[in-house]
Amino acid sequence: MTNVAPEGYHTITPWLINREAGKLIDFLVTVFDGVELGRMEVDGVIGHAEVRIGDSVVMLFDSRPHWPATPGFLRLYVADDAEVLRRAVGQGSTVVTEPTELFFGDRVSRFRDPFGNLWWIHQRLVDVTPEQAAERLQDPTFIKAMAYVAGAELIATGPPTAPR
């Protein structure tokens, strides 16, 4: 029997289409300890590339000049959210939401990378049952946290912020 997905892949694999795919690959390797699996490049244009982050693969290629910007919105679980956020900011990312513990047991932050992609970074702090999550959702601390996270502007209104 043939596997649904090739070995090392999952049933869903995100694409990041960007005008600077090579620089985005370097960003993924630096910020997320990604491993570049390969790239097909002709005359400086990346037609296909793959980077493994944790147990998942992200595929990339350079967009065509006449295509509109297509930012990705991705969520990652990481072991150390503060370190990932520190590296992201060091590589020119802009923090959208500061690390915030939410009712379902994760601390979440978001940042926009220099290429316009939005990243949700989750670190699991505690496993909660559905009953505990419902109880925590009534806690004023978590109500305030959800309001903060939900109130963030997710869509960039201008060009990506230049690296700091």
Side-chain angles (χ1 to χ4, degrees):
M1 177 181 220
T2 302
N3 292 329
V4 172
E7 182 70 30
Y9 292 79
H10 298 281
T11 54
I12 296 178
T13 302
W15 281 96
L16 292 177
I17 304 165
N18 194 274
R19 287 186 173 86
E20 299 181 279
K23 290 180 182 178
L24 180 53
I25 290 167
D26 294 341
F27 178 88
L28 299 176
V29 167
T30 300
V31 173
F32 298 114
D33 294 324
V35 176
E36 183 176 341
L37 301 177
R39 71 172 83 183
M40 290 188 268
E41 189 170 347
V42 176
D43 297 328
V45 176
I46 296 174
H48 180 88
E50 297 183 9
V51 175
R52 180 174 305 284
I53 300 172
D55 66 355
S56 300
V57 174
V58 176
M59 295 186 182
L60 307 97
F61 66 87
D62 281 313
S63 65
R64 306 308 177 246
H66 61 282
W67 289 5
T70 54
F73 287 59
L74 298 105
R75 174 171 128 172
L76 283 81
Y77 276 93
V78 298
D80 186 345
D81 63 318
E83 177 60 18
V84 168
L85 189 59
R86 184 192 67 73
R87 288 192 302 235
V89 169
Q91 293 296 310
S93 297
T94 302
V95 175
V96 174
T97 53
E98 295 291 339
T100 305
E101 184 177 351
L102 298 176
F103 72 95
F104 51 86
D106 293 359
R107 183 171 47 234
V108 177
S109 60
R110 290 180 286 202
F111 67 84
R112 186 170 296 99
D113 71 24
F115 311 96
N117 302 299
L118 187 65
W119 300 87
W120 275 253
I121 306 303
H122 288 240
Q123 180 175 334
R124 192 74 172 160
L125 300 177
V126 61
D127 291 322
V128 297
T129 66
E131 296 80 18
Q132 290 169 322
E135 184 179 314
R136 288 166 60 111
L137 189 52
Q138 302 307 310
D139 181 321
T141 300
F142 293 115
I143 292 170
K144 183 177 177 183
M146 284 301 296
Y148 165 66
V149 171
E153 291 295 327
L154 301 183
I155 306 298
T157 56
T161 302
R164 296 180 211 187

